Amino acid sequence: MIFSKIKVLRSHGKQYIPDLNDVTLTEEFRGRPVLTPTDDMSDVEAAATLCPTQALSVAPFTLDLGRCLFCGECALRAPKNIRFTNDYKLGSTSREALVVTPQTEKIEFHPENIRPEIPQLFSHALKLRQVSAGGDASVEMELNATGNVNFDFGRYGVEFTASPRHSDGVVITGPISKNMAEPLDICYKAIPDPKIVIVCGSEACSGGLFSESKAVDRSFIENNRVDLWLPGAPTHPMTFIDGVMNITGKKQR
Amino acid sequence: MNYYITDNTSTQSIALKDIPEVEYAALYEDLSERLKQEQYHIAHYFARPEQSRLMFYLILLDDEKHQIMVARFAMEYYDDIALPSLTALHPAVHPFEREIAELYNVEFGAMPWKKPLRFDENRRCRTSTIDTYPFYSIEGDSLHEVNVGPIHAGIIEPGAFRFTCNGENVLHLEIALGYQHRGVEDEFVATDNRLRQTLLSESIAGDSAIAHSSAFAMAVERLSNNKTSQRLQAERTIALELERMAMHIADTGALSMDVGYQLGQVACEALRTVTINTTQAWCGNRFGKGLIRPAGSNKPLTSEKIEMIRKNVEEVGRRYAEVSDDIKSSPTLLSRFEQCGIVPRTEMHRIGGVGMAARASGLGRDLRTSHPFAAYSTKLNHESITQHDGDVMARLMMRCQEVSQSVEYIKQLLATIDTTEAVPAPNYEQTLAPEHFAFGLVEGWRGEICHIAITNEEGKIDTYKVKEPSLHNWLALALAVRGEGISDFPICNKSFNLSYCGHDL
């Protein structure tokens, strides 16, 4: 009995990422895109017509990561103009900063938007409540992964709680289905002040594929201040970790 | 009775006019007999408006003859007649009849469980809202109710659970779903952009993105009469098996966590990471989004990737087997998992359980054997794994055995891939046969996934139906916890790991 456990332990070894600030994802990963305008923009026009969430625009030439589902199809249609890098640092305090232009060299975090109480109170420990409102379980699984043996975000005091009463903020995933609009609101109101709002995943940022659906209710986003926007389909654990470390003042992009 | 008969290797769709239109009375009689036998089960049964009529489509699977049987019947849209309910005879039909009743206000006579299924935005039956779900309640001095949800304590999707308990023991559990409803089926129809439809299929249930997008691709390829190459089929099968491995390992970790077996939990977390990072190194996404595309692929395997996948799955398979050996040799774990959350085979059949959970109870529902598709019909000689006890341990052992099977299949298929053979790019422009009916039937890690697409006279998809295995298996979870201590609910729940968004659509 004990030998089988030793075997598992020996194979397991050390799994944690020693430095969360020093992570490079595989080249295949589709993160921050780089846009290069050319004289002939016909490829981009074709890509924009195909773009499933109208995230890509030709004039002006922009790609809105808050809408983008990172399918990478535009980069295949317009390889001269659009290229996805493996840069996972996609979060921002500003929704507008998620719109990538040809001038974008990194996604600006805009630390000036951070309310002063956030780094003051939450830099050592931040407990979050997660609400899935129409999410497809992939973003939720990635959020779970932030606490797993590899990423171990808990080492920075960032953890998810079982009750809104014990939390400092809410992480919303999914386009916000109508049937979840009220439970989300109740949960948010139950969190003591000051509290932060993080929207996680492109579906949560813009509604994604469901932005026009009748079964979706985005009023929560319109009525409340969002502190951190995190794109992705799903948001990679490193995107979440980077965003939260920036907003709590643990690092500066 | 007259059915249109086809099978899952067919590359063609079915002209609507070729689907025999029958009388409900004949269908009712035929199904009441057939559904008694394990050989038959319903893959999908739904209705849609066609001019002034409501047309009902039924897809019945014959597991022994490997046949797919399709029939339909009509009723006048404003007919005020009650159809005799099949649910009354065969509870397996309940989600289908409930959906039809909710969406179109169709009356099913003597239906035992007339409750809304998912509080669909388009429902005509608006007698209750999701806040006033008519939970079943039992009166008694010694009973109390425990209400959980819709928001749960972990990072998971929402659903409302109500337990009726006698002391610590669960007498009855009712699960009310619909919170995740975001109008998936409507969005398929609202757009002509095939890429958008593909991405929709990937977001039906994120943990089964590969299985659902494969089902979509199969349905669309049938509608465009597109024969995909053996290589593409093999690559899709590898992706499906990678998804199965990743989720089975994740669930082993989750079960370990819930019984305080931290070693198993962290080992499985790490192994799942390796598995999904393998998928990511193949296609750029840890859940395989972007991998399955109609008529082709953007991410054909290269020899480097083949070697990378082979190496990783072998390593994961070896280390996971060690965890599974440790579980089997730890009496403290066995005492929690064994004889807990039992669903006997007869019950599983009665309620129409599918997939891995059904196989854990000895009911051999597995499309890979009964209705083989992709490489399962050509390169692999798949033999279903089954267990007999139907308890948490059986469902866990299903996972342990299926992971090692997946490892073998992936290695076997990787060896068949000839990287010099060209793989076409995806085609989002293919014209679809007008007024045709096509299905995509795929065995995902959780079980049977069924997609149905019906086109109008212009060749546009005007009805899209999705069935997730969870639609059947939620009831199995409710039955599994009956008589168990309420503290065993978490492990019963994790042993099924059902999808909320796939159910709610």
Side-chain angles (χ1 to χ4, degrees):
Chain A
M1 188 189 137
I2 189 74
F3 292 112
S4 59
K5 292 192 195 308
I6 292 170
K7 237 180 174 178
V8 174
L9 257 183
R10 194 182 55 194
S11 294
H12 181 71
K14 273 188 193 155
Q15 294 290 338
Y16 74 100
I17 300 167
D19 184 0
L20 286 178
N21 289 314
D22 182 28
V23 173
T24 311
L25 300 182
T26 161
E27 285 296 318
E28 282 285 340
F29 178 76
R30 291 180 291 278
R32 176 178 56 84
V34 175
L35 306 185
T36 319
T38 48
D39 290 340
D40 176 16
M41 291 287 277
S42 55
D43 287 350
V44 181
E45 278 163 25
T49 327
L50 188 65
C51 180
T53 49
Q54 287 95 46
L56 180 64
S57 135
V58 187
F61 185 23
T62 58
L63 181 50
D64 180 359
L65 298 188
R67 300 184 72 88
C68 179
L69 297 176
F70 298 84
C71 67
E73 210 71 44
C74 55
L76 295 166
R77 306 273 151 160
K80 286 196 207 99
N81 309 94
I82 305 165
R83 182 172 66 86
F84 281 87
T85 69
N86 62 349
D87 178 6
Y88 56 80
K89 295 168 184 162
L90 306 175
S92 178
T93 56
S94 145
R95 175 69 180 83
E96 290 71 40
L98 303 185
V99 181
V100 172
T101 69
Q103 285 75 43
T104 306
E105 282 171 3
K106 61 172 186 178
I107 303 293
E108 292 297 336
F109 194 77
H110 291 292
E112 69 278 8
N113 291 341
I114 305 174
R115 288 180 282 141
E117 58 268 33
I118 295 178
Q120 263 167 32
L121 292 168
F122 304 137
S123 64
H124 293 292
L126 176 66
K127 306 291 165 189
L128 295 163
R129 185 78 186 93
Q130 192 271 338
V131 178
S132 167
D136 75 354
S138 57
V139 190
E140 289 78 354
M141 288 174 81
E142 291 296 52
L143 287 173
N144 266 318
T146 61
N148 76 9
V149 63
N150 303 100
F151 296 100
D152 186 25
F153 201 20
R155 72 181 102 166
Y156 286 99
V158 183
E159 276 167 347
F160 289 89
T161 64
S163 160
R165 297 286 189 208
H166 302 157
S167 75
D168 307 313
V170 64
V171 181
I172 301 164
T173 58
I176 309 183
S177 51
K178 233 182 213 175
N179 290 344
M180 269 309 282
E182 197 191 352
L184 169 62
D185 208 49
I186 294 170
C187 172
Y188 178 70
K189 287 188 176 131
I191 299 172
D193 282 321
K195 48 193 167 191
I196 77 173
V197 176
I198 300 175
V199 294
C200 195
S202 299
E203 282 193 345
C205 290
S206 67
L209 292 163
F210 304 100
S211 57
E212 303 298 318
S213 169
K214 283 185 295 173
V216 159
D217 177 356
R218 305 275 303 156
S219 56
F220 183 91
I221 302 292
E222 285 145 30
N223 300 336
N224 294 286
R225 179 193 165 124
V226 173
D227 294 295
L228 182 58
W229 303 86
L230 297 170
T235 305
H236 195 280
M238 283 312 301
T239 307
F240 178 82
I241 289 169
D242 169 75
V244 172
M245 279 170 73
N246 272 286
I247 200 166
T248 48
K250 289 188 182 72
K251 73 180 216 188
Q252 272 162 9
R253 186 176 300 161
Chain B
M1 216 197 68
N2 197 8
Y3 288 97
Y4 181 96
I5 296 190
T6 178
D7 66 59
N8 209 11
T9 53
S10 154
T11 55
Q12 278 164 5
S13 53
I14 308 164
L16 282 181
K17 61 177 172 36
D18 291 342
I19 302 176
E21 213 177 306
V22 299
E23 289 294 319
Y24 182 71
L27 185 85
Y28 176 84
E29 205 170 304
D30 191 59
L31 284 179
S32 22
E33 281 310 309
R34 282 192 206 256
L35 291 179
K36 283 181 191 160
Q37 305 164 44
E38 276 188 12
Q39 180 182 356
Y40 298 100
H41 71 281
I42 297 178
H44 216 321
Y45 173 36
F46 61 92
R48 67 169 204 149
E50 288 183 6
Q51 287 98 40
S52 71
R53 301 194 302 173
L54 197 58
M55 188 65 87
F56 295 67
Y57 289 84
L58 173 93
I59 298 93
L60 185 70
L61 302 188
D62 180 336
D63 286 4
E64 274 173 30
K65 292 198 193 125
H66 314 295
Q67 287 176 340
I68 295 166
M69 306 152 79
V70 190
R72 57 178 179 166
F73 70 91
M75 69 185 269
E76 287 298 317
Y77 202 68
Y78 293 102
D79 256 4
D80 210 11
I81 47 160
L83 304 172
S85 164
L86 277 162
T87 307
L89 304 173
H90 302 291
V93 191
H94 87 101
F96 304 121
E97 285 192 346
R98 281 168 67 195
E99 185 195 74
I100 295 167
E102 178 179 33
L103 284 177
Y104 302 108
N105 244 347
V106 172
E107 181 76 22
F108 286 100
M111 188 184 165
W113 201 247
K114 281 186 192 174
K115 298 199 181 195
L117 186 70
R118 60 170 74 96
F119 297 89
D120 198 298
E121 185 54 24
N122 292 329
R123 68 191 189 278
R124 277 184 66 203
C125 176
R126 289 192 177 263
T127 47
S128 60
T129 68
I130 201 154
D131 303 323
T132 58
Y133 180 86
F135 280 107
Y136 182 71
S137 73
I138 310 171
E139 301 283 317
D141 288 344
S142 63
L143 303 181
H144 69 283
E145 285 185 345
V146 181
N147 198 25
V148 180
I151 306 176
H152 295 262
I155 312 176
I156 48 166
E157 301 170 71
F161 295 1
R162 182 154 310 173
F163 299 87
T164 307
C165 295
N166 185 2
E168 290 288 297
N169 286 336
V170 179
L171 208 60
H172 174 74
L173 161 64
E174 186 166 355
I175 301 166
L177 299 173
Y179 293 94
Q180 292 283 73
H181 174 66
R182 62 228 133 110
V184 172
E185 291 178 340
D186 282 354
E187 290 300 311
F188 271 102
V189 177
T191 178
D192 288 330
N193 184 335
R194 197 68 44 74
L195 176 62
R196 185 175 157 91
Q197 290 171 333
T198 311
L199 265 70
L200 274 165
S201 70
E202 286 179 336
S203 60
I204 291 168
D207 55 23
S208 305
I210 292 171
H212 276 287
S213 49
S214 303
F216 170 76
M218 277 168 75
V220 165
E221 283 157 7
R222 281 186 175 127
L223 281 172
S224 49
N225 201 3
N226 187 298
K227 289 178 189 64
T228 47
S229 69
Q230 294 257 340
R231 174 172 175 192
L232 190 63
Q233 307 258 5
E235 294 202 8
R236 283 182 186 172
T237 312
I238 294 169
L240 272 170
E241 293 298 330
L242 270 173
E243 182 171 79
R244 188 182 321 277
M245 273 181 75
M247 286 310 299
H248 281 356
I249 295 172
D251 290 341
T252 312
L255 277 166
S256 304
M257 177 175 73
D258 280 1
V259 294
Y261 169 48
Q262 217 202 356
L263 180 64
Q265 182 202 338
V266 295
C268 288
E269 280 175 355
L271 291 173
R272 170 178 179 261
T273 305
V274 177
T275 317
I276 59 178
N277 282 354
T278 306
T279 310
Q280 180 177 247
W282 178 3
C283 73
N285 185 291
R286 306 218 298 170
F287 294 80
K289 293 186 178 185
L291 190 51
I292 311 291
R293 292 287 178 263
S297 169
N298 285 326
K299 303 282 172 191
L301 284 169
T302 59
S303 40
E304 293 81 38
K305 284 181 181 175
I306 288 176
E307 187 46 32
M308 179 269 302
I309 296 173
R310 201 193 53 75
K311 203 174 118 264
N312 288 358
V313 296
E314 210 159 64
E315 166 81 1
V316 170
R318 183 185 64 78
R319 279 162 55 187
Y320 181 72
E322 290 176 355
V323 179
S324 119
D325 285 345
D326 188 39
I327 292 173
K328 283 183 272 189
S329 62
S330 301
T332 47
L333 298 177
L334 299 182
S335 75
R336 288 294 308 274
F337 294 145
E338 284 183 336
Q339 299 295 304
C340 175
I342 298 173
V343 185
R345 178 180 180 151
T346 47
E347 275 296 85
M348 213 32 133
H349 172 234
R350 237 165 64 82
I351 63 164
V354 293
M356 189 216 75
R359 297 199 288 280
S361 297
L363 180 67
R365 294 268 184 260
D366 188 344
L367 292 177
R368 293 173 294 170
T369 334
S370 61
H371 300 86
F373 54 97
Y376 304 109
S377 62
T378 51
K379 292 180 172 149
L380 297 175
N381 190 11
H382 174 65
E383 271 184 45
S384 275
I385 291 166
T386 49
Q387 295 275 331
H388 299 284
D389 296 336
D391 54 3
V392 173
M393 187 66 188
R395 289 185 283 276
L396 179 57
M397 284 302 115
M398 280 299 303
R399 293 184 162 95
C400 292
Q401 293 175 15
E402 289 202 341
V403 167
S404 49
Q405 195 179 42
S406 296
V407 170
E408 287 312 310
Y409 287 172
I410 291 170
K411 279 163 43 186
Q412 232 172 308
L413 289 172
L414 285 173
T416 68
I417 302 236
D418 172 10
T419 48
T420 56
E421 189 189 325
V423 174
N427 189 341
Y428 305 118
E429 312 295 332
Q430 282 176 310
T431 48
L432 308 182
E435 298 193 306
H436 269 61
F437 171 106
F439 54 83
L441 270 171
V442 169
E443 184 78 15
W445 68 267
R446 211 181 256 121
E448 173 182 309
I449 286 169
C450 177
H451 286 207
I452 309 280
I454 301 180
T455 53
N456 63 11
E457 61 281 357
E458 288 155 10
K460 286 181 181 168
I461 294 177
D462 75 345
T463 295
Y464 200 84
K465 298 298 291 179
V466 174
K467 189 202 71 179
E468 233 281 328
S470 308
L471 190 72
H472 303 285
N473 288 1
W474 276 110
L475 186 55
L477 169 61
L479 295 180
V481 296
R482 280 193 183 172
E484 296 296 345
I486 193 166
S487 54
D488 275 335
F489 173 73
I491 58 169
C492 291
N493 186 26
K494 299 253 165 79
S495 74
F496 286 94
N497 189 9
L498 301 173
S499 171
Y500 299 77
C501 53
H503 174 282
D504 295 346
L505 298 177

